[in-house]
Amino acid sequence: MNLSAGLRFTLLTLLGVNTAIALWFAIDMSLNAVRQREVAQLAKRSNAISDLLIEATAAHARERGMTAVALNRPEPIGKLARDGVDVSRIAGDAALTEAFAKLRGIPARDDWMSARDEAKVATDELARARAEVDRLMNLPAAGRPRGQVDAWFRAATHAIERINALRLALDFGDVSAQPVLNGFVSLKNELWTISEFAGRQRAIIGAHIARDEPMSLRVSQEIELLDGAIVNADRQIDNLLRNGLIASSVSADIATMRLIFAVEFRRARDAAMQAGRTGEAYPLSAAQWFDVATLGIEAVLNMTAVASQSARAQADAAVERADKGVGVASILFALVLCAAMVAFLVLEWRVIRPVKSLTAIMNRLARRDWSVDVPVLARDDEIGAMARAVQVFKTSGIERELLKAEALESQRREKLRELEKRELAESAAQAAHERVLALEEKMRMEAEFARVEKLANLGGLVAGVAHELNTPIGNAVTVASALSERTEAFARELTAGPVRKSSIDRFIGELRDGAAILSRGLERAADLIQHFKRIAVDQTSEQRRVFRVEELVGDIAGTLMPQLSRAGVSLRVEIDAKRSLDSYPGPLGQVLLNLVANAHVHGIGDGKPGAITIAARDCGADAIEISVADDGSGIPPELRERIFEPFFTTRLGQGGSGLGLSIVHNIVTKVLGGAIRVDSQIGRGTTMIMRIPLRAPTHAPGQLEGTYDVGHVKRAG
């Protein structure tokens, strides 16, 4: 089935739009997978910091309880008690310092930053309270006022609460991290509540036992309130187990923790409270009470460690799932990108390339080059109609040239006859004067013809550049016009009455598709302009700069591919070089242009199909290797040693100057500080191989001037 060029272009455009949508979906999938991985990593870091904060509060709680017992004893405070306080103090401060340091590795949020600042203020107040406690410990029991001892308890408790507030901001402030850790964050929080409120009971009861003082009604009520909070936290743990928010594998650990806590802590606490209410003697000493209570609390803290380990396992699994998602998204992205490239190549081969070829032929015909042949005349679509119109233009142009030549010949003969008549009628002097005038007229006409020819050449150059931009800009104008008409039609629908949702969806889809086509067209035009700008800037400048080989080769390939494609020559680029060059992009670009031109003209030959490959790869630690290869006829062995000599050419009298490869050799060795060699086989093509250092030699200002002239080439030879 024969399809018109317009219909083929429309189908290919629709294919490109669908490919773009699929590409957008692949990109979105990749970004979502990356975001999930970042959330899982953040959850891991937050959980680690939370563990350090729990460790800090547990150590501060031990310090609080040990200090309360020591300050309320009637006997002097011994070295063992002081050492115990110091150990707990050092452990808490170390864990808190490490947590503050790790906070710098997570994204800043107002909630945890504010909580961090409050925790720092509270720990500063705790430090001042410690100084007062150290002073009181050196005094006898009578010199330790009850108010100052109670002030220490309040300062320590406030610091613990502020540190826990920071932990809560980290565990519950970022909603995105909660699903990763499931219910283990909540489990850790309930376990902390049990350990902290039990720690407060340990300190209060320990102080009364140390003073051997009965408990007042207010103290008993305070202890009961703390016990109520412990019971409520234990119920919340049951709810987490019942609702499946935490793994059933930890239920046995929780049961063991409850048993140890009940046996060690609750039993001793209830006995001490019973004695304190009735005024009887306490059944155990302050040191014994502190050890038993600490065993129960440590069981809770050990369960907290189990919950943290489970949370880390959850986060690690989430990271692994996210990594797999990134891999799948990358594969999908690569497949969609390949489909887009195939669609573009089909469009290029069937539509864009014939249009470019016809435009180039029109430019040559505008320069009165009538020897060019018009292709695709046999096609029965719009492209074929354009080709036949160009053929008609060529035929009419030839006819006009013939008529113009005949008219000029007739005028010349008429002038000759007039001159002969004048020479016969006038004197020799007058005849000589007329000949001078005729010669001046001839020179004026030649100058005028030269000026017209120059303007024609300039017009051809402008036409070539304009055509490169015509296709993408023309497509953009067409789409913009279609979108304008569709917008007006939709406005009329809105004015006429209620509009269906399907009409709105269709209108939005058309706007989205049109915007995508507009964006691609304008991006294509911008790419063409950027190619011309970068090539022009580098070719007219000898400035040294850091650049990547793939960028330079990409610009040169983008400039040469249309011209080579019209000649039937394909240009491939294979860049495997990873490192940047600190060198001269202008001279290196000139080398690549000369080598590609030499491969086309001498290796493959004008008018013959072939392939040219530009490749680059890393070569050792301080250089890269760049090669330009063709599949042409090759160089005979007897000529290979002479190809870099000045003025040596196999096309003498056919446009060859013999300076191209000599200049290439001079730039590579003198300017870029590298080396060049040739590898060629008859009938299998030629490869020019250059070894270029990553850092070019330093040249003084003006030292590169004259590098490309003939004299310099002779001296280099």
Side-chain angles (χ1 to χ4, degrees):
M1 180 176 62
N2 293 326
L3 299 177
S4 67
L7 182 56
R8 280 199 298 268
F9 182 81
T10 301
L11 293 176
L12 291 172
T13 301
L14 291 176
L15 177 61
V17 170
N18 291 332
T19 303
I21 294 174
L23 187 62
W24 173 84
F25 176 79
I27 294 173
D28 183 72
M29 182 177 177
S30 300
L31 293 177
N32 185 54
V34 172
R35 284 193 295 268
Q36 290 178 356
R37 190 180 191 281
E38 291 175 351
V39 168
Q41 291 284 13
L42 176 60
K44 286 182 61 177
R45 291 194 294 267
S46 298
N47 184 65
I49 298 173
S50 174
D51 292 344
L52 289 172
L53 294 175
I54 290 176
E55 181 181 348
T57 56
H60 287 335
R62 285 195 301 272
E63 178 191 0
R64 176 185 60 193
M66 295 174 72
T67 304
V69 170
L71 290 177
N72 284 281
R73 283 177 175 172
E75 64 269 24
I77 299 173
K79 183 178 183 301
L80 183 61
R82 289 294 302 269
D83 291 343
V85 171
D86 290 339
V87 169
S88 298
R89 181 181 298 179
I90 292 172
D93 290 346
L96 189 60
T97 301
E98 185 178 355
F100 282 162
K102 288 188 175 182
L103 280 174
R104 292 192 290 268
I106 64 174
R109 290 199 320 268
D110 291 339
D111 54 346
W112 73 255
M113 291 177 68
S114 176
R116 178 200 59 188
D117 295 338
E118 293 177 0
K120 287 184 176 180
V121 172
T123 53
D124 290 340
E125 295 174 356
L126 178 62
R128 290 190 290 272
R130 283 171 173 172
E132 181 63 19
V133 164
D134 292 340
R135 186 185 68 82
L136 293 177
M137 283 186 176
N138 294 324
L139 299 177
R144 307 170 196 157
R146 177 72 64 86
Q148 292 181 346
V149 174
D150 293 339
W152 153 252
F153 182 88
R154 289 192 298 272
T157 301
H158 178 67
I160 292 172
E161 289 174 346
R162 291 301 90 206
I163 295 172
N164 186 59
L166 173 58
R167 181 187 67 82
L168 293 176
L170 288 172
D171 284 344
F172 296 94
D174 189 1
V175 179
S176 62
Q178 290 183 24
V180 177
L181 302 182
N182 295 326
F184 288 104
V185 172
S186 299
L187 176 60
K188 285 169 56 179
N189 185 58
E190 301 304 333
L191 291 171
W192 181 91
T193 301
I194 294 174
S195 64
E196 167 57 16
F197 284 29
R200 295 183 190 180
Q201 291 180 345
R202 176 179 59 187
I204 295 172
I205 295 174
H208 282 74
I209 294 176
R211 292 195 301 266
D212 195 20
E213 178 181 273
M215 296 181 186
S216 64
L217 178 61
R218 182 186 63 81
V219 172
S220 297
Q221 291 174 346
E222 182 179 356
I223 293 176
E224 288 174 356
L225 287 175
L226 294 173
D227 189 62
I230 293 173
V231 171
N232 183 63
D234 194 62
R235 290 172 181 168
Q236 293 298 323
I237 293 176
D238 286 335
N239 291 334
L240 292 174
L241 288 170
R242 234 183 348 262
N243 296 330
L245 295 178
I246 56 177
S248 59
S249 58
V250 301
S251 59
D253 296 326
I254 294 175
T256 301
M257 177 271 295
R258 285 172 167 170
L259 178 61
I260 295 174
F261 185 78
V263 171
E264 299 293 342
F265 182 86
R266 289 184 183 275
R267 183 180 300 173
R269 183 201 61 193
D270 294 340
M273 286 191 64
Q274 178 65 26
R277 290 193 186 103
T278 60
E280 300 174 357
Y282 287 101
L284 67 174
S285 67
Q288 291 172 338
W289 156 249
F290 188 88
D291 292 338
V292 171
T294 301
L295 285 176
I297 295 172
E298 287 295 328
V300 178
L301 294 175
N302 290 336
M303 186 61 223
T304 303
V306 172
S308 296
Q309 183 178 2
S310 300
R312 283 194 298 273
Q314 292 271 340
D316 289 337
V319 171
E320 183 177 357
R321 289 193 299 272
D323 288 338
K324 291 181 180 179
V326 171
V328 172
S330 300
I331 294 173
L332 178 61
F333 178 81
L335 293 176
V336 174
L337 186 60
C338 290
M341 293 177 63
V342 171
F344 174 79
L345 291 176
V346 173
L347 180 63
E348 167 76 17
W349 182 260
R350 294 297 301 168
V351 178
I352 297 177
R353 184 175 295 182
V355 172
K356 288 183 177 180
S357 177
L358 291 176
T359 302
I361 291 172
M362 285 294 297
N363 291 333
R364 294 181 63 181
L365 294 178
R367 297 192 296 270
R368 297 186 296 281
D369 181 4
W370 312 112
S371 63
V372 63
D373 293 328
V374 180
V376 298
L377 290 172
R379 286 180 59 166
D380 58 350
D381 53 14
E382 290 86 347
I383 301 297
M386 291 174 59
R388 289 187 287 274
V390 172
Q391 181 65 29
V392 172
F393 177 81
K394 172 186 174 181
T395 303
S396 62
I398 294 174
E399 292 175 353
R400 286 194 302 271
E401 286 293 320
L402 292 175
L403 292 175
K404 181 179 178 181
E406 292 176 358
L408 290 175
E409 181 64 22
S410 176
Q411 293 176 6
R412 188 183 67 81
R413 292 175 181 175
E414 183 65 27
K415 287 184 178 181
L416 287 176
R417 284 194 294 270
E418 291 177 1
L419 287 174
E420 291 174 356
K421 292 179 181 179
R422 291 177 184 177
E423 288 177 355
L424 294 174
E426 298 175 356
S427 61
Q430 183 66 26
H433 179 68
E434 291 294 336
R435 284 194 295 273
V436 171
L437 292 178
L439 182 60
E440 291 177 350
E441 177 65 16
K442 180 180 178 182
M443 294 174 65
R444 186 190 65 78
M445 293 180 64
E446 290 177 352
E448 180 66 17
F449 282 141
R451 187 184 68 83
V452 173
E453 183 70 18
K454 182 178 180 181
L455 290 177
N457 291 338
L458 180 60
L461 177 62
V462 173
V465 175
H467 174 70
E468 290 294 331
L469 297 173
N470 181 59
T471 299
I473 294 178
N475 291 341
V477 171
T478 301
V479 172
S481 177
L483 288 178
S484 176
E485 294 176 359
R486 184 65 184 92
T487 303
E488 292 179 359
F490 186 73
R492 289 194 296 271
E493 291 183 27
L494 289 175
T495 305
V499 180
R500 293 184 176 180
K501 183 178 182 298
S502 59
S503 299
I504 297 175
D505 292 340
R506 184 170 56 257
F507 176 65
I508 293 174
E510 292 172 354
L511 284 181
R512 185 184 298 111
D513 295 342
I517 297 173
L518 278 173
S519 177
R520 287 195 301 275
L522 295 178
E523 286 177 359
R524 172 60 180 162
D527 288 343
L528 291 172
I529 293 172
Q530 288 300 321
H531 278 310
F532 289 134
K533 283 177 62 179
R534 286 195 291 265
I535 292 296
V537 169
D538 280 341
Q539 291 298 310
T540 57
S541 170
E542 294 175 347
Q543 292 295 322
R544 180 191 188 114
R545 65 180 174 87
V546 177
F547 61 95
R548 295 186 66 84
V549 174
E550 59 263 38
E551 296 174 354
L552 178 64
V553 174
D555 291 336
I556 291 174
T559 304
L560 294 178
M561 276 183 180
Q563 177 184 353
L564 294 175
S565 297
R566 290 193 295 271
V569 178
S570 64
L571 178 61
R572 293 193 295 268
V573 176
E574 298 175 358
I575 304 299
D576 195 28
K578 307 299 183 184
R579 292 171 288 184
S580 300
L581 291 176
D582 181 7
S583 189
Y584 301 92
L588 180 56
Q590 182 65 45
V591 166
L592 294 176
L593 288 173
N594 283 7
L595 291 179
V596 172
N598 190 77
H600 178 205
V601 175
H602 297 278
I604 298 174
D606 293 336
K608 298 180 181 179
I612 298 174
T613 301
I614 302 177
R617 65 181 183 85
D618 293 327
C619 184
D622 59 348
I624 66 171
E625 184 181 274
I626 304 176
S627 62
V628 178
D630 63 70
D631 58 355
S633 57
I635 303 174
E638 63 271 18
L639 301 181
R640 292 175 194 165
E641 299 298 327
R642 302 185 59 193
I643 60 174
F644 295 117
E645 295 178 5
F647 303 105
F648 175 78
T649 179
T650 59
R651 296 173 62 92
L652 188 62
Q654 303 177 25
S657 65
L659 295 178
L661 290 181
S662 181
I663 290 176
V664 166
H665 182 273
N666 191 60
I667 293 175
V668 171
T669 58
K670 303 297 182 182
V671 178
L672 304 179
I676 183 169
R677 60 185 175 88
V678 61
D679 183 12
S680 180
Q681 297 184 21
I682 298 299
R684 300 185 65 179
T686 301
T687 302
M688 296 291 182
I689 304 170
M690 298 173 288
R691 190 179 188 276
I692 307 297
L694 296 179
R695 183 175 180 86
T698 302
H699 301 284
Q703 185 177 350
L704 298 183
E705 295 180 1
T707 303
Y708 315 116
D709 60 15
V710 176
H712 191 87
V713 172
K714 288 181 178 179
R715 293 191 296 272

